[in-house]
Short mmCIF file of all heavy atoms in Angstrom, two decimals:
data_model
loop_
_atom_site.label_atom_id
_atom_site.label_comp_id
_atom_site.label_asym_id
_atom_site.label_seq_id
_atom_site.Cartn_x
_atom_site.Cartn_y
_atom_site.Cartn_z
N TYR A 2 -68.55 54.06 -5.39
CA TYR A 2 -67.30 54.67 -5.84
C TYR A 2 -67.53 55.58 -7.04
O TYR A 2 -66.74 55.62 -7.98
CB TYR A 2 -66.28 53.57 -6.18
CG TYR A 2 -66.02 52.63 -5.02
CD1 TYR A 2 -66.66 51.40 -4.94
CD2 TYR A 2 -65.17 53.00 -3.99
CE1 TYR A 2 -66.45 50.55 -3.86
CE2 TYR A 2 -64.95 52.16 -2.91
CZ TYR A 2 -65.59 50.94 -2.85
OH TYR A 2 -65.38 50.11 -1.78
N ALA A 3 -68.63 56.31 -7.00
CA ALA A 3 -69.01 57.19 -8.11
C ALA A 3 -67.95 58.25 -8.39
O ALA A 3 -67.67 58.58 -9.54
CB ALA A 3 -70.37 57.84 -7.82
N GLU A 4 -67.36 58.81 -7.34
CA GLU A 4 -66.37 59.87 -7.51
C GLU A 4 -65.13 59.35 -8.22
O GLU A 4 -64.62 59.97 -9.16
CB GLU A 4 -65.98 60.44 -6.14
CG GLU A 4 -65.03 61.63 -6.23
CD GLU A 4 -64.72 62.22 -4.87
OE1 GLU A 4 -65.48 61.95 -3.91
OE2 GLU A 4 -63.72 62.95 -4.77
N GLU A 5 -64.63 58.17 -7.79
CA GLU A 5 -63.45 57.57 -8.42
C GLU A 5 -63.76 57.19 -9.86
O GLU A 5 -62.91 57.31 -10.75
CB GLU A 5 -62.98 56.34 -7.64
CG GLU A 5 -62.41 56.63 -6.26
CD GLU A 5 -63.47 56.64 -5.17
OE1 GLU A 5 -64.66 56.81 -5.52
OE2 GLU A 5 -63.11 56.49 -3.98
N LEU A 6 -65.00 56.74 -10.10
CA LEU A 6 -65.42 56.34 -11.44
C LEU A 6 -65.44 57.56 -12.37
O LEU A 6 -64.98 57.49 -13.52
CB LEU A 6 -66.82 55.71 -11.36
CG LEU A 6 -67.34 54.97 -12.59
CD1 LEU A 6 -66.46 53.79 -12.94
CD2 LEU A 6 -68.77 54.51 -12.35
N LYS A 7 -65.95 58.66 -11.88
CA LYS A 7 -66.03 59.89 -12.67
C LYS A 7 -64.65 60.42 -13.03
O LYS A 7 -64.42 60.93 -14.12
CB LYS A 7 -66.82 60.95 -11.89
CG LYS A 7 -67.12 62.20 -12.70
CD LYS A 7 -68.03 63.14 -11.91
CE LYS A 7 -68.38 64.37 -12.73
NZ LYS A 7 -69.26 65.29 -11.97
N LYS A 8 -63.70 60.27 -12.10
CA LYS A 8 -62.33 60.76 -12.33
C LYS A 8 -61.53 59.81 -13.23
O LYS A 8 -60.42 60.13 -13.63
CB LYS A 8 -61.60 60.93 -11.00
CG LYS A 8 -62.13 62.05 -10.14
CD LYS A 8 -61.36 62.14 -8.83
CE LYS A 8 -61.87 63.27 -7.96
NZ LYS A 8 -61.15 63.31 -6.65
N GLY A 9 -62.10 58.63 -13.51
CA GLY A 9 -61.39 57.67 -14.34
C GLY A 9 -60.36 56.86 -13.58
O GLY A 9 -59.53 56.17 -14.18
N GLU A 10 -60.40 56.94 -12.24
CA GLU A 10 -59.43 56.19 -11.44
C GLU A 10 -59.74 54.70 -11.47
O GLU A 10 -58.85 53.86 -11.28
CB GLU A 10 -59.45 56.70 -9.99
CG GLU A 10 -59.00 58.15 -9.86
CD GLU A 10 -59.17 58.69 -8.45
OE1 GLU A 10 -59.67 57.93 -7.59
OE2 GLU A 10 -58.80 59.85 -8.20
N ILE A 11 -61.02 54.34 -11.65
CA ILE A 11 -61.44 52.96 -11.78
C ILE A 11 -62.48 52.86 -12.88
O ILE A 11 -63.00 53.87 -13.34
CB ILE A 11 -62.02 52.40 -10.46
CG1 ILE A 11 -63.26 53.20 -10.04
CG2 ILE A 11 -60.99 52.39 -9.35
CD1 ILE A 11 -63.97 52.62 -8.82
N THR A 12 -62.77 51.63 -13.30
CA THR A 12 -63.86 51.40 -14.25
C THR A 12 -64.92 50.57 -13.56
O THR A 12 -64.71 50.08 -12.45
CB THR A 12 -63.36 50.65 -15.50
OG1 THR A 12 -63.04 49.29 -15.15
CG2 THR A 12 -62.13 51.32 -16.10
N ARG A 13 -66.05 50.38 -14.23
CA ARG A 13 -67.13 49.59 -13.63
C ARG A 13 -66.72 48.14 -13.44
O ARG A 13 -67.32 47.41 -12.64
CB ARG A 13 -68.40 49.68 -14.48
CG ARG A 13 -68.99 51.07 -14.54
CD ARG A 13 -70.26 51.14 -15.36
NE ARG A 13 -71.37 50.53 -14.64
CZ ARG A 13 -72.01 49.43 -15.04
NH1 ARG A 13 -71.62 48.80 -16.13
NH2 ARG A 13 -73.03 48.96 -14.35
N ASN A 14 -65.71 47.68 -14.18
CA ASN A 14 -65.26 46.29 -14.08
C ASN A 14 -64.00 46.13 -13.25
O ASN A 14 -63.40 45.05 -13.23
CB ASN A 14 -65.04 45.71 -15.48
CG ASN A 14 -66.35 45.56 -16.23
OD1 ASN A 14 -67.37 45.18 -15.66
ND2 ASN A 14 -66.34 45.88 -17.52
N THR A 15 -63.59 47.19 -12.57
CA THR A 15 -62.43 47.09 -11.69
C THR A 15 -62.71 46.12 -10.54
O THR A 15 -63.81 46.12 -9.98
CB THR A 15 -62.08 48.48 -11.11
OG1 THR A 15 -61.69 49.34 -12.17
CG2 THR A 15 -60.93 48.38 -10.11
N LEU A 16 -61.73 45.29 -10.23
CA LEU A 16 -61.87 44.37 -9.10
C LEU A 16 -61.84 45.19 -7.81
O LEU A 16 -60.91 45.97 -7.57
CB LEU A 16 -60.73 43.35 -9.09
CG LEU A 16 -60.74 42.32 -10.23
CD1 LEU A 16 -59.43 41.55 -10.26
CD2 LEU A 16 -61.91 41.36 -10.06
N ILE A 17 -62.85 45.01 -6.98
CA ILE A 17 -62.92 45.74 -5.71
C ILE A 17 -63.16 44.77 -4.56
O ILE A 17 -63.58 43.63 -4.76
CB ILE A 17 -64.04 46.81 -5.73
CG1 ILE A 17 -65.41 46.14 -5.93
CG2 ILE A 17 -63.77 47.86 -6.78
CD1 ILE A 17 -66.57 47.09 -5.74
N GLY A 18 -62.90 45.23 -3.35
CA GLY A 18 -63.08 44.40 -2.17
C GLY A 18 -64.53 44.02 -1.95
O GLY A 18 -65.40 44.89 -1.93
N ALA A 19 -64.78 42.72 -1.80
CA ALA A 19 -66.14 42.23 -1.61
C ALA A 19 -66.40 41.82 -0.17
O ALA A 19 -67.56 41.76 0.26
CB ALA A 19 -66.41 41.05 -2.54
N SER A 20 -65.36 41.53 0.59
CA SER A 20 -65.53 41.15 2.00
C SER A 20 -64.21 41.32 2.72
O SER A 20 -63.16 41.53 2.11
CB SER A 20 -66.01 39.69 2.12
OG SER A 20 -64.96 38.79 1.78
N GLY A 21 -64.26 41.22 4.05
CA GLY A 21 -63.05 41.25 4.87
C GLY A 21 -62.28 42.55 4.78
O GLY A 21 -62.82 43.62 4.49
N LEU A 22 -60.97 42.44 5.03
CA LEU A 22 -60.11 43.63 4.97
C LEU A 22 -60.07 44.20 3.56
O LEU A 22 -59.89 45.41 3.39
CB LEU A 22 -58.68 43.26 5.42
CG LEU A 22 -58.52 42.79 6.86
CD1 LEU A 22 -57.07 42.44 7.16
CD2 LEU A 22 -59.02 43.84 7.85
N GLU A 23 -60.24 43.35 2.56
CA GLU A 23 -60.26 43.83 1.19
C GLU A 23 -61.38 44.85 0.99
O GLU A 23 -61.22 45.81 0.23
CB GLU A 23 -60.46 42.66 0.21
CG GLU A 23 -59.33 41.65 0.17
CD GLU A 23 -58.17 42.08 -0.71
OE1 GLU A 23 -57.99 43.30 -0.90
OE2 GLU A 23 -57.44 41.19 -1.19
N ARG A 24 -62.49 44.64 1.68
CA ARG A 24 -63.63 45.55 1.55
C ARG A 24 -63.50 46.76 2.47
O ARG A 24 -63.69 47.90 2.04
CB ARG A 24 -64.94 44.82 1.83
CG ARG A 24 -66.17 45.71 1.74
CD ARG A 24 -67.45 44.91 1.74
NE ARG A 24 -68.64 45.71 1.90
CZ ARG A 24 -69.18 46.47 0.96
NH1 ARG A 24 -68.63 46.51 -0.25
NH2 ARG A 24 -70.27 47.18 1.19
N SER A 25 -63.18 46.53 3.73
CA SER A 25 -63.13 47.65 4.67
C SER A 25 -62.00 48.63 4.33
O SER A 25 -62.13 49.84 4.57
CB SER A 25 -62.99 47.15 6.11
OG SER A 25 -61.90 46.28 6.26
N PHE A 26 -60.90 48.14 3.75
CA PHE A 26 -59.78 49.01 3.39
C PHE A 26 -59.71 49.28 1.88
O PHE A 26 -58.65 49.65 1.37
CB PHE A 26 -58.46 48.39 3.86
CG PHE A 26 -58.22 48.51 5.34
CD1 PHE A 26 -58.72 47.57 6.21
CD2 PHE A 26 -57.49 49.57 5.86
CE1 PHE A 26 -58.52 47.67 7.58
CE2 PHE A 26 -57.26 49.68 7.23
CZ PHE A 26 -57.78 48.73 8.09
N GLU A 27 -60.83 49.06 1.17
CA GLU A 27 -60.85 49.16 -0.29
C GLU A 27 -60.21 50.45 -0.81
O GLU A 27 -59.34 50.43 -1.67
CB GLU A 27 -62.28 49.02 -0.81
CG GLU A 27 -62.48 49.37 -2.28
CD GLU A 27 -61.67 48.51 -3.22
OE1 GLU A 27 -61.41 47.33 -2.89
OE2 GLU A 27 -61.26 49.02 -4.28
N ARG A 28 -60.64 51.58 -0.28
CA ARG A 28 -60.15 52.85 -0.81
C ARG A 28 -58.67 53.05 -0.54
O ARG A 28 -58.01 53.85 -1.24
CB ARG A 28 -60.96 54.00 -0.20
CG ARG A 28 -62.32 54.19 -0.87
CD ARG A 28 -63.01 55.46 -0.38
NE ARG A 28 -64.12 55.82 -1.24
CZ ARG A 28 -65.35 55.35 -1.12
NH1 ARG A 28 -65.61 54.48 -0.16
NH2 ARG A 28 -66.30 55.72 -1.94
N LEU A 29 -58.12 52.37 0.45
CA LEU A 29 -56.71 52.50 0.77
C LEU A 29 -55.85 51.46 0.06
O LEU A 29 -54.66 51.68 -0.16
CB LEU A 29 -56.51 52.40 2.29
CG LEU A 29 -57.17 53.53 3.07
CD1 LEU A 29 -57.36 53.16 4.52
CD2 LEU A 29 -56.34 54.80 2.96
N LEU A 30 -56.45 50.34 -0.32
CA LEU A 30 -55.71 49.29 -1.01
C LEU A 30 -55.69 49.48 -2.51
O LEU A 30 -54.88 48.87 -3.21
CB LEU A 30 -56.32 47.91 -0.68
CG LEU A 30 -56.04 47.37 0.72
CD1 LEU A 30 -56.89 46.12 0.98
CD2 LEU A 30 -54.57 47.05 0.89
N GLN A 31 -56.62 50.30 -3.04
CA GLN A 31 -56.66 50.54 -4.48
C GLN A 31 -55.30 51.04 -4.95
O GLN A 31 -54.72 51.95 -4.38
CB GLN A 31 -57.71 51.59 -4.84
CG GLN A 31 -59.14 51.10 -4.78
CD GLN A 31 -60.13 52.22 -5.02
OE1 GLN A 31 -59.75 53.36 -5.28
NE2 GLN A 31 -61.41 51.90 -4.92
N GLY A 32 -54.79 50.41 -6.01
CA GLY A 32 -53.50 50.82 -6.54
C GLY A 32 -53.65 51.79 -7.70
O GLY A 32 -54.67 52.47 -7.83
N VAL A 33 -52.64 51.83 -8.53
CA VAL A 33 -52.67 52.72 -9.69
C VAL A 33 -52.91 51.92 -10.97
O VAL A 33 -52.76 52.43 -12.07
CB VAL A 33 -51.34 53.51 -9.81
CG1 VAL A 33 -51.24 54.53 -8.70
CG2 VAL A 33 -50.14 52.56 -9.77
N GLY A 34 -53.31 50.68 -10.84
CA GLY A 34 -53.62 49.84 -11.99
C GLY A 34 -52.83 48.55 -11.96
O GLY A 34 -51.73 48.49 -11.40
N PRO A 35 -53.36 47.49 -12.58
CA PRO A 35 -52.67 46.20 -12.57
C PRO A 35 -51.50 46.15 -13.54
O PRO A 35 -51.41 46.95 -14.47
CB PRO A 35 -53.78 45.23 -13.01
CG PRO A 35 -54.66 46.06 -13.89
CD PRO A 35 -54.65 47.43 -13.29
N THR A 36 -50.61 45.20 -13.31
CA THR A 36 -49.53 44.90 -14.25
C THR A 36 -49.98 43.70 -15.07
O THR A 36 -50.28 42.64 -14.52
CB THR A 36 -48.22 44.58 -13.51
OG1 THR A 36 -47.82 45.71 -12.75
CG2 THR A 36 -47.11 44.22 -14.50
N THR A 37 -50.05 43.87 -16.39
CA THR A 37 -50.57 42.80 -17.24
C THR A 37 -49.67 42.59 -18.45
O THR A 37 -48.92 43.47 -18.87
CB THR A 37 -51.99 43.14 -17.75
OG1 THR A 37 -51.93 44.34 -18.54
CG2 THR A 37 -52.95 43.35 -16.61
N VAL A 38 -49.77 41.39 -19.00
CA VAL A 38 -49.19 41.08 -20.31
C VAL A 38 -50.35 40.63 -21.18
O VAL A 38 -51.09 39.71 -20.81
CB VAL A 38 -48.11 39.97 -20.22
CG1 VAL A 38 -47.72 39.52 -21.62
CG2 VAL A 38 -46.90 40.49 -19.48
N SER A 39 -50.52 41.29 -22.33
CA SER A 39 -51.67 40.96 -23.17
C SER A 39 -51.29 40.96 -24.64
O SER A 39 -50.23 41.46 -25.03
CB SER A 39 -52.80 41.98 -22.93
OG SER A 39 -52.34 43.29 -23.21
N TYR A 40 -52.16 40.37 -25.45
CA TYR A 40 -51.99 40.38 -26.90
C TYR A 40 -53.37 40.56 -27.51
O TYR A 40 -54.39 40.31 -26.87
CB TYR A 40 -51.33 39.09 -27.39
CG TYR A 40 -52.16 37.86 -27.18
CD1 TYR A 40 -53.01 37.39 -28.17
CD2 TYR A 40 -52.11 37.17 -25.97
CE1 TYR A 40 -53.79 36.26 -27.96
CE2 TYR A 40 -52.89 36.05 -25.75
CZ TYR A 40 -53.73 35.60 -26.76
OH TYR A 40 -54.50 34.51 -26.54
N PHE A 41 -53.41 40.97 -28.78
CA PHE A 41 -54.68 41.27 -29.43
C PHE A 41 -55.15 40.10 -30.27
O PHE A 41 -54.35 39.33 -30.82
CB PHE A 41 -54.54 42.54 -30.29
CG PHE A 41 -54.35 43.77 -29.46
CD1 PHE A 41 -53.08 44.20 -29.11
CD2 PHE A 41 -55.44 44.50 -29.01
CE1 PHE A 41 -52.91 45.32 -28.33
CE2 PHE A 41 -55.27 45.62 -28.23
CZ PHE A 41 -54.00 46.03 -27.89
N VAL A 42 -56.47 39.97 -30.35
CA VAL A 42 -57.07 38.85 -31.07
C VAL A 42 -58.06 39.38 -32.10
O VAL A 42 -58.52 40.52 -32.02
CB VAL A 42 -57.79 37.89 -30.10
CG1 VAL A 42 -56.82 37.27 -29.12
CG2 VAL A 42 -58.91 38.62 -29.35
N ASP A 43 -58.41 38.50 -33.07
CA ASP A 43 -59.40 38.87 -34.06
C ASP A 43 -60.80 38.54 -33.55
O ASP A 43 -60.98 38.13 -32.41
CB ASP A 43 -59.11 38.19 -35.41
CG ASP A 43 -59.15 36.66 -35.30
OD1 ASP A 43 -59.77 36.15 -34.33
OD2 ASP A 43 -58.57 35.99 -36.16
N GLY A 44 -61.80 38.70 -34.39
CA GLY A 44 -63.18 38.49 -33.98
C GLY A 44 -63.48 37.09 -33.53
O GLY A 44 -64.44 36.85 -32.81
N LYS A 45 -62.68 36.12 -33.99
CA LYS A 45 -62.89 34.73 -33.60
C LYS A 45 -62.06 34.33 -32.40
O LYS A 45 -62.07 33.18 -31.97
CB LYS A 45 -62.56 33.80 -34.77
CG LYS A 45 -63.49 33.98 -35.98
CD LYS A 45 -63.12 33.01 -37.09
CE LYS A 45 -64.06 33.19 -38.28
NZ LYS A 45 -63.72 32.26 -39.38
N GLY A 46 -61.31 35.29 -31.87
CA GLY A 46 -60.50 35.00 -30.70
C GLY A 46 -59.13 34.48 -31.03
O GLY A 46 -58.36 34.12 -30.13
N ASN A 47 -58.77 34.44 -32.32
CA ASN A 47 -57.44 33.96 -32.72
C ASN A 47 -56.44 35.09 -32.58
O ASN A 47 -56.73 36.26 -32.90
CB ASN A 47 -57.46 33.46 -34.16
CG ASN A 47 -58.37 32.27 -34.32
OD1 ASN A 47 -58.36 31.35 -33.51
ND2 ASN A 47 -59.18 32.28 -35.38
#
C-alpha cells in the first residue's frame, strides 16, 4: 500500500486486512479513519 501511504491516506500502523474478505476487499473496505475518544498522558502514563 505504498501509494496510499505516500498520500497520507494510511499510516504504517493502520489496521489492514490480514485474511478472508477483510484482506481481499482491503482497498474497498478502507474508511476515512476511525472514530476514537482519547485523552493525553504524561511521560509516566498518568
Side-chain angles (χ1 to χ4, degrees):
Y2 303 98
E4 185 177 342
E5 292 89 339
L6 192 62
K7 188 174 182 180
K8 291 179 180 178
E10 296 174 358
I11 61 174
T12 70
R13 295 182 73 245
N14 292 320
T15 296
L16 292 169
I17 61 171
S20 72
L22 297 179
E23 295 278 26
R24 179 168 169 76
S25 54
F26 284 86
E27 169 61 30
R28 281 188 166 86
L29 296 161
L30 286 171
Q31 285 175 3
V33 290
T36 299
T37 61
V38 170
S39 58
Y40 65 93
F41 292 89
V42 297
D43 61 21
K45 296 181 179 180
N47 297 316

